[in-house]
């Protein structure tokens, strides 16, 4: 009787461990998909290129291809969504920090109702402040 109980348990453990190992080797782990807050913005039914997910903003102001391996922090100081303004910080999964020696960070700001002239001024200010060799 004990053998009849232990054999299915061992089989389940082996199959579960093999499935987890295949999942890890396949590279299927992606924090963008496993993080509850980040994945709530992603639509897996929309096709994108490899390494990206389809992202739809909370207020439906914009959509974009969201980089795989990044997540959005669920913190009011790092994420804000209003009808005319959205602010998001994307962070790269820190498990890659050891491999590459750095971690990625993206800051995104959406502003509605901007004129072309104001958008051009904002872009030039950004380039002046952050571009390499102007």
């Amino acid at each position: 009787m004990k053998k009849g109980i232990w054999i299915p348990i061992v089989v389940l453990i082996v199959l579960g461990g093999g499935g987890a190992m295949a999942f890890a080797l396949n590279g299927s782990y992606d924090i963008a998909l496993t993080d509850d807050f980040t994945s709530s913005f992603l639509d897996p039914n929309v096709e994108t290129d490899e390494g990206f997910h389809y992202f739809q903003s909370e207020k439906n102001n914009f959509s974009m291809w969201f980089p795989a391996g990044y997540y959005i922090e669920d913190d009011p100081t790092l994420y804000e969504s209003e009808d005319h303004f959205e602010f998001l910080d994307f962070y790269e999964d820190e498990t890659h920090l050891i491999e590459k020696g750095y971690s990625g960070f993206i800051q995104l700001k959406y502003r509605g109702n901007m004129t072309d002239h104001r958008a051009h001024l904002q872009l030039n200010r950004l380039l002046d402040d952050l571009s390499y060799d102007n």
Side-chain angles (χ1 to χ4, degrees):
M1 188 68 159
K2 289 183 182 180
K3 218 184 230 187
I5 294 173
W6 282 106
I7 290 175
I9 291 173
V10 170
V11 168
L12 287 174
I13 291 171
V14 169
L15 288 176
M21 182 180 263
F23 185 75
L25 291 175
N26 188 2
S28 297
Y29 172 78
D30 183 357
I31 196 165
L33 299 173
T34 58
D35 179 73
D36 290 336
F37 186 68
T38 305
S39 64
S40 69
F41 299 100
L42 305 180
D43 185 351
N45 297 322
V46 177
E47 187 175 333
T48 61
D49 284 348
E50 185 176 335
F52 292 93
H53 307 287
Y54 182 78
F55 174 93
Q56 182 67 47
S57 72
E58 181 178 340
K59 302 292 184 183
N60 293 321
N61 288 323
F62 68 94
S63 62
M64 62 179 256
W65 286 12
F66 188 89
Y70 281 72
Y71 65 96
I72 302 169
E73 192 72 43
D74 185 9
D75 179 340
T77 62
L78 305 173
Y79 173 79
E80 183 179 352
S81 183
E82 303 294 334
D83 289 335
H84 65 286
F85 176 80
E86 295 199 46
F87 174 82
L88 304 106
D89 282 346
F90 306 160
Y91 298 92
E92 188 172 21
D93 184 5
E94 293 179 5
T95 57
H96 300 290
L97 179 63
I98 296 169
E99 298 168 10
K100 297 189 306 187
Y102 66 90
S103 64
F105 167 75
I106 300 169
Q107 189 175 77
L108 183 137
K109 293 179 185 176
Y110 167 85
R111 291 189 177 132
N113 301 325
M114 285 187 77
T115 64
D116 287 342
H117 177 69
R118 184 176 165 109
H120 187 68
L121 289 173
Q122 291 283 335
L123 176 61
N124 284 337
R125 185 177 302 141
L126 177 69
L127 293 174
D128 287 343
D129 290 344
L130 301 175
S131 66
Y132 178 77
D133 288 338
N134 291 327

